[in-house]
Amino acid sequence: MSDYKFLEIEKKWQKNWDESNLGKCDLNSSKPKFYNLCMYPYPSGDLHMGHIRNYTIGDVITRYKKLTGHNVLSPMGWDSFGLPAENAAIKTGIHPKEFTENRMKNMKNQIIRLGSLYDWDREVAAHTEEYYKWTQYLFIQFFNNNLAYKKDAPVNWCTSCKTVLANEQVIEGNCDRCDSVVTQKNLNQWFLKISKYSEELLVGLDEIGEWPENVKAMQQNWIGKSVGAQFKLNISNSDISFEVFTTRPDTLFGMTFAVISPEHSLMEEILEISENKEEIKKYITAAATKSEFERMSITKEKTGVDSGLLVINPLTNEKIPLWIADYVLVNYGTGAIMAVPAHDQRDYDFAKKYNIEIRQVISEDTLDSGIDKEAFIDRGKLVNSGEFNGLNSHDEASSKIIEKLVDMKSGEGKTTYRLRDWLISRQRYWGCPIPLVNCTDCGLVPEKLENLPVKLPEIEDYLNTDGSPLSKSESFVNTDCPMCGNPAKRETDTMDTFVDSSWYFMRYLDASNSEIPFDIENVNNWLPVDQYIGGVEHAILHLLYSRFFIKALRDLNMVDINEPFQNLFSQGMINFEGSKMSKSKGNIVDPEGYFKTHGADSLRLYILFMAPPSDGVEWNDGGIEGTRRFLYKLWDNMNTFSDLATREIKNSDEEKLEIYLNQTIESITNHLEKFEFNTAVSDLMKLNNELSTFVKNNKEITDEIKKKTIQTTCILVNPFAPHISSELFFKNFKSDITELTWPEVDSSKIENPTYELVIQINGKKKHATEVVSGLEQSEIEKICFEKFQLSASEYKKIIFVKDKIINFVG
RNA sequence: GCCCGGGUGGCGGAAUUGGUAGACGCGACGGACUUAAAAUCCGUUAUUCGAAAGGAUGUGGGGGUUCGAGUCCCCCCCCGGGCACCA
């Protein structure tokens, strides 16, 4: 019976690592640097299985890279601003800071209990004054360089909570907290100018290191580049004109009407000259009160109203009607379009409904290019297009028509992006205050740097019934203008927590520096992060914002790099009972129980073993017994090996074992490099099974193979199950396993001396036999003829793959 | 609708360049130990025909290339994720 006492062992080594500072990183060491980063967590109170997966993967990399001679930086911190703490404060009265810090403390203990190594001297927490001082500092740099600005914008507004909501908090058009309808409301908001970097953020994806293709694709989608033309439409009998954007300038002759969004800035002027005023006003009001959700999803039935005005097609001078319709979005392109119903399905639907002419200008003989039932959007040749007839759509005709628009000075080629500026203001308490002051004389003025941080005020009531909670503190709001000294008022919004997390990976490098946010030399030396690991749910927002931050800071000469994260690994989500684990669904699996019943090493191995790390997986704890058994068996095997009697000369079992060890080193190393931890763990299990077989058949061993086996096994296990391997190694060699280096493959002892030859007849396996490795075709044939009574004359062709297979084809 | 993934035993999942499909683990079944159970150990476990030897079938479906296809090509179905009235 095994005497493997995982509780004692795990506690012992966690204490040992803490005392020996194993997780600490000296940035100036001469070893090659490796910045290994796990996404810092929101302190929700308890680790969940997603965290366990994240930090286990991270720790495997940390320990493996340390063993391969790297100077590993692996820090940890807290994304500690955010709504739940504030909601708890509203409910229970506990201060968000106290609430958050208690939860951080608990989670930190659990992380340590998992056995993950971090440099806790570099711990950061977004809600601390030492941290948000620098978030404010960076914001001011952005503001001073026109990368942060304030403007009116429509935001999600919960009618019941009376607050703005982030997009993520709007679930199918309703508030995720109270389920009330969310409407759009115009508020004066702060933005960061991420759109300035649209093109760079897009092309950067091609130059970046190893990122999952799907994450790159998601970012490409999100940035949403489209190439086309923009041109001017004049309203007939007026001096009003507006721009339209199209990706299909080749269809310009098919424009039979134009559409302008009801929120368009020209709407008042249009109203003035229109004879259809009342109907238009009604329509605008109706559109405004629809929620975003209603507008997008409803019946898909498009609505609109005829303005009664005509616009002029610049190429044909034809006058066509101008409609107002909310299927045209005000914040994409120019907020107005040329409508070509023959070649755009949305315009087609609209034209059918309102009986507007549909005029085909692209046609293709080899395809069904009819437009009776739907728009024809494929490629073809231009027809009904004057001098452009016969040209190919889309590219050839488009560029010719753009040339013409340029000649006529009414348009040009144009590229637009879906990516919009980043709205960062929140009417919330528990976030980083925006460090700007409103002065009636000087306008918006940043707080003086020496006065940072602008501290979050203490308030009684966290509810934001009317504007931001910060506005309730008079002593906070009323201040002096940093420029002229006259009485002025502070901004009362706080920042989106994604601002905090857009630069935390740089703060780790100078976590306790009270002079600067980070040292440019440290950043240039240590970034980009060599390996970033986190959940796929952050594929767009956090990763895109951080990339933007780096580019902006580079342009402010604060860093000298282009990308924050060289390689990214996105782990899949762990579901339970068919859906994402969440407190509200009550389907949480608590990892802490497994620490007690199975141990951290078992849990780590199991979470790695259950599926490829990038795949989503359904939690099922049946399998954890398997990794527990593996560890007990490993413990017993190592002890049995240790006790084997000595012999002088290796026997054939030992030679085989030696080869097996080398094969395992090779396989696990390859799997580690490719993040195939599930198969790496399976290799460890196979090795363990080999060891069991060996000790069953051998009571003696040479000292050389005994030592080699124990040492190699321990080190191969170490990144995955660090506690047991540290203990086993120490028991045997009285030294610390972390002083070893990762084993190299001995290429002279990796080939098996024999193999199982497969004999196929007409491609089907018929026989198999053990033969010596390296034999040539003629020798193999001879063996087959003798052993299986085959003869060459019966077959037309013989196919031979060395050391694998022979196929007799008849 | 568009863009990514993916479909292999009862289950999670393995399979360099096309070369023994089902590694490893879970579960199940049988056995050993035990008064008994748990734990542990040994064996069996894709389906199907057969008493057995052995045969046939088999990686979502259909076609193709090849001596040989889970892997490559064409068509289709289903599942997961992302985006979506983006002009």
Side-chain angles (χ1 to χ4, degrees):
Chain A
M1 185 56 207
S2 183
D3 60 342
Y4 166 48
K5 298 197 171 75
F6 59 84
L7 285 174
E8 263 171 47
I9 291 167
E10 291 180 357
K11 199 170 156 198
K12 167 185 163 184
W13 285 96
Q14 283 160 15
K15 187 161 172 253
N16 176 298
W17 298 330
D18 178 43
E19 286 168 356
S20 66
N21 290 330
L22 189 59
K24 299 252 151 80
C25 177
D26 172 6
L27 296 190
N28 300 313
S29 146
S30 60
K31 293 181 189 170
K33 70 103 180 176
F34 192 92
Y35 190 169
N36 185 37
L37 183 67
C38 290
M39 290 181 182
Y40 75 167
Y42 175 78
S44 56
D46 290 291
L47 291 190
H48 56 68
M49 285 300 168
H51 294 122
I52 299 281
R53 198 179 202 192
N54 195 171
Y55 307 147
T56 300
I57 293 168
D59 199 48
V60 169
I61 300 298
T62 295
R63 291 179 186 268
Y64 171 62
K65 287 292 173 184
K66 274 177 176 284
L67 290 168
T68 53
H70 291 83
N71 182 26
V72 179
L73 170 63
S74 177
M76 182 51 72
W78 310 98
D79 186 14
S80 46
F81 270 136
L83 270 180
E86 189 172 336
N87 290 341
I90 293 169
K91 238 188 224 162
T92 65
I94 300 170
H95 194 283
K97 182 174 155 85
E98 188 190 336
F99 180 84
T100 300
E101 289 181 355
N102 282 337
R103 291 179 147 206
M104 281 163 48
K105 208 166 138 193
N106 191 43
M107 280 176 87
K108 182 170 173 178
N109 286 335
Q110 291 176 330
I111 290 173
I112 291 168
R113 182 64 189 84
L114 181 65
S116 284
L117 288 180
Y118 296 104
D119 185 345
W120 290 106
D121 287 354
R122 300 177 183 278
E123 182 177 0
V124 302
H127 77 286
T128 56
E129 288 174 13
E130 305 85 74
Y131 188 89
Y132 75 70
K133 168 181 178 175
W134 298 115
T135 307
Q136 292 174 341
Y137 172 93
L138 294 175
F139 185 86
I140 290 172
Q141 306 308 312
F142 278 42
F143 177 80
N144 288 339
N145 290 278
N146 294 318
L147 289 168
Y149 66 94
K150 211 176 174 188
K151 74 163 188 194
D152 284 321
V155 293
N156 301 306
W157 181 261
C158 173
T159 44
S160 162
C161 304
K162 294 190 172 34
T163 177
V164 295
L165 298 174
N167 287 330
E168 308 82 63
Q169 294 167 317
V170 182
I171 313 293
E172 299 192 333
N174 293 322
C175 173
D176 71 338
R177 218 154 41 115
C178 69
D179 220 28
S180 314
V181 174
V182 174
T183 58
Q184 298 299 113
K185 186 169 171 173
N186 274 303
L187 286 174
N188 205 232
Q189 301 285 309
W190 281 96
F191 290 84
L192 296 186
K193 212 180 259 176
I194 189 171
S195 65
K196 182 179 171 190
Y197 294 90
S198 298
E199 183 64 23
E200 206 194 331
L201 287 166
L202 186 66
V203 288
L205 291 171
D206 294 329
E207 292 153 13
I208 225 161
E210 289 285 320
W211 275 45
E213 285 303 319
N214 64 331
V215 173
K216 288 200 215 175
M218 281 188 227
Q219 292 211 356
Q220 280 161 6
N221 269 335
W222 189 262
I223 294 167
K225 180 178 184 174
S226 39
V227 180
Q230 187 168 321
F231 60 92
K232 201 193 281 181
L233 286 178
N234 292 307
I235 296 182
S236 177
N237 296 323
S238 84
D239 50 5
I240 306 175
S241 68
F242 57 93
E243 299 276 331
V244 294
F245 172 75
T246 178
T247 54
R248 295 292 307 278
D250 55 318
T251 63
L252 211 153
F253 282 76
M255 168 165 65
T256 53
F257 60 107
V259 185
I260 191 162
S261 164
E263 290 101 340
H264 198 281
S265 56
L266 276 181
M267 204 46 64
E268 281 189 23
E269 291 178 58
I270 287 172
L271 262 178
E272 226 161 88
I273 58 168
S274 171
E275 285 167 11
N276 203 5
K277 287 189 181 58
E278 286 316 305
E279 219 181 313
I280 296 175
K281 273 187 192 162
K282 247 204 263 169
Y283 185 75
I284 293 173
T285 320
T289 49
K290 276 190 211 168
S291 72
E292 183 123 350
F293 180 66
E294 278 178 304
R295 247 175 96 154
M296 285 190 328
S297 62
I298 37 163
T299 54
K300 280 228 163 173
E301 178 90 349
K302 294 176 181 33
T303 60
V305 55
D306 191 346
S307 70
L309 303 172
L310 300 174
V311 297
I312 300 160
N313 181 327
L315 292 191
T316 63
N317 284 321
E318 186 184 7
K319 290 180 183 168
I320 53 171
L322 173 64
W323 285 72
I324 296 156
D326 68 1
Y327 82 91
V328 171
L329 307 175
V330 70
N331 40 22
Y332 184 76
T334 60
I337 61 159
M338 70 167 198
V340 183
H343 305 290
D344 181 290
Q345 192 58 42
R346 295 155 299 178
D347 298 342
Y348 186 92
D349 296 341
F350 192 82
K352 278 279 180 198
K353 177 168 175 185
Y354 293 102
N355 287 317
I356 307 171
E357 184 195 349
I358 298 173
R359 184 188 306 157
Q360 181 158 17
V361 291
I362 311 277
S363 161
E364 179 54 74
D365 299 339
T366 56
L367 289 173
D368 173 17
S369 54
I371 54 165
D372 296 342
K373 294 210 172 83
E374 57 182 9
F376 174 70
I377 54 173
D378 284 322
R379 272 153 220 284
K381 292 214 182 330
L382 265 64
V383 294
N384 297 324
S385 296
E387 61 188 283
F388 302 100
N389 280 341
L391 292 179
N392 292 312
S393 75
H394 308 167
D395 298 345
E396 188 193 14
S398 289
S399 57
K400 286 272 160 33
I401 288 179
I402 290 171
E403 269 173 40
K404 179 88 177 182
L405 288 168
V406 171
D407 282 350
M408 300 171 63
K409 295 195 169 35
S410 53
E412 59 185 356
K414 171 95 177 179
T415 300
T416 60
Y417 300 87
R418 204 181 69 96
L419 181 65
R420 299 178 216 162
D421 279 341
W422 173 15
L423 193 166
I424 59 132
S425 31
R426 297 287 180 269
Q427 291 71 43
R428 284 291 185 168
Y429 175 75
W430 193 233
C432 175
I434 292 174
L436 269 286
V437 173
N438 285 288
C439 172
T440 39
D441 294 328
C442 312
L444 276 170
V445 183
E447 182 55 82
K448 287 181 188 160
L449 296 182
E450 63 262 34
N451 291 340
L452 297 183
V454 174
K455 292 185 192 172
L456 266 177
E458 293 303 322
I459 60 172
E460 300 278 305
D461 174 12
Y462 299 98
L463 261 182
N464 49 351
T465 41
D466 189 19
S468 174
L470 301 196
S471 63
K472 292 174 188 169
S473 168
E474 302 230 337
S475 62
F476 174 84
V477 173
N478 295 310
T479 184
D480 297 334
C481 171
M483 199 111 87
C484 68
N486 288 337
K489 292 196 185 296
R490 287 196 190 280
E491 285 291 296
T492 55
D493 284 354
T494 53
M495 295 184 213
D496 181 1
T497 57
F498 279 114
V499 179
D500 308 326
S501 57
S502 290
W503 72 282
Y504 77 104
F505 46 90
M506 294 188 280
R507 182 63 184 169
Y508 282 141
L509 301 170
D510 292 278
S512 49
N513 194 329
S514 58
E515 305 298 317
I516 46 171
F518 45 81
D519 180 75
I520 185 167
E521 285 303 312
N522 281 342
V523 171
N524 293 344
N525 289 337
W526 278 85
L527 261 66
V529 167
D530 296 275
Q531 185 63 59
Y532 199 23
I533 305 161
V536 70
E537 63 273 19
H538 293 109
I540 298 175
L541 298 177
H542 162 60
L543 292 168
L544 197 64
Y545 294 151
S546 299
R547 295 182 60 218
F548 155 64
F549 249 65
I550 289 295
K551 292 173 195 303
L553 293 173
R554 176 203 59 202
D555 290 349
L556 304 181
N557 296 317
M558 294 180 71
V559 302
D560 196 13
I561 52 168
N562 289 314
E563 291 284 346
F565 313 122
Q566 182 64 21
N567 301 306
L568 172 72
F569 185 83
S570 289
Q571 69 193 63
M573 290 205 285
I574 297 185
N575 292 329
F576 187 50
E577 291 165 347
S579 60
K580 193 176 161 180
M581 287 192 202
S582 78
K583 282 191 180 162
S584 57
K585 290 195 193 104
N587 62 344
I588 298 282
V589 178
D590 174 21
E592 238 183 328
Y594 295 107
F595 290 151
K596 295 190 186 109
T597 55
H598 291 75
D601 281 341
S602 274
L603 184 57
R604 290 168 60 115
L605 284 169
Y606 180 56
I607 210 146
L608 295 171
F609 181 66
M610 65 193 304
S614 55
D615 285 7
V617 65
E618 172 75 15
W619 176 259
N620 169 358
D621 73 357
I624 196 172
E625 278 302 309
T627 54
R628 192 189 56 80
R629 280 180 206 142
F630 162 76
L631 290 175
Y632 274 85
K633 197 154 132 186
L634 177 74
W635 180 264
D636 290 346
N637 276 336
M638 288 289 100
N639 291 332
T640 312
F641 254 84
S642 192
D643 294 342
L644 287 176
T646 302
R647 68 175 156 225
E648 295 299 319
I649 300 171
K650 278 189 244 178
N651 72 358
S652 64
D653 277 358
E654 284 178 71
E655 279 164 6
K656 277 188 208 154
L657 182 58
E658 209 174 5
I659 288 170
Y660 198 85
L661 282 170
N662 268 297
Q663 291 172 338
T664 305
I665 293 168
E666 185 180 50
S667 179
I668 292 185
T669 307
N670 288 338
H671 286 314
L672 274 171
E673 294 288 344
K674 292 191 280 190
F675 280 76
E676 294 165 349
F677 305 125
N678 56 329
T679 43
V681 172
S682 132
D683 282 338
L684 291 173
M685 290 173 167
K686 284 192 235 179
L687 174 61
N688 204 19
N689 293 342
E690 282 303 306
L691 300 182
S692 298
T693 307
F694 184 90
V695 293
K696 205 186 292 169
N697 299 331
N698 292 272
K699 299 298 158 219
E700 296 177 334
I701 192 168
T702 59
D703 270 341
E704 183 204 344
I705 299 298
K706 179 195 277 192
K707 185 172 171 240
K708 207 179 208 171
T709 304
I710 297 174
Q711 178 164 325
T712 306
T713 304
C714 285
I715 196 164
L716 291 176
V717 171
N718 185 256
F720 308 94
H723 309 88
I724 191 173
S725 57
S726 297
E727 179 67 15
L728 285 169
F729 187 82
F730 189 81
K731 269 175 65 147
N732 278 283
F733 302 105
K734 300 286 171 278
S735 67
D736 200 315
I737 193 166
T738 57
E739 288 158 18
L740 294 183
T741 53
W742 189 254
E744 299 224 352
V745 174
D746 179 346
S747 55
S748 70
K749 288 172 186 158
I750 193 161
E751 302 296 341
N752 287 322
T754 64
Y755 71 100
E756 180 141 81
L757 173 76
V758 169
I759 296 132
Q760 295 183 336
I761 292 172
N762 292 324
K764 294 206 167 194
K765 181 187 168 187
K766 288 291 168 186
H767 310 280
T769 185
E770 184 95 354
V771 296
V772 177
S773 300
L775 295 182
E776 297 300 332
Q777 179 165 354
S778 57
E779 296 164 287
I780 292 288
E781 280 180 24
K782 213 173 132 202
I783 291 171
C784 293
F785 295 152
E786 282 168 11
K787 197 160 180 181
F788 302 105
Q789 290 90 45
L790 303 172
S791 77
S793 56
E794 289 176 55
Y795 301 100
K796 288 190 202 120
K797 202 162 147 193
I798 297 170
I799 287 154
F800 175 67
V801 182
K802 196 173 178 186
D803 287 352
K804 268 200 178 115
I805 207 164
I806 187 161
N807 186 7
F808 295 91
V809 183

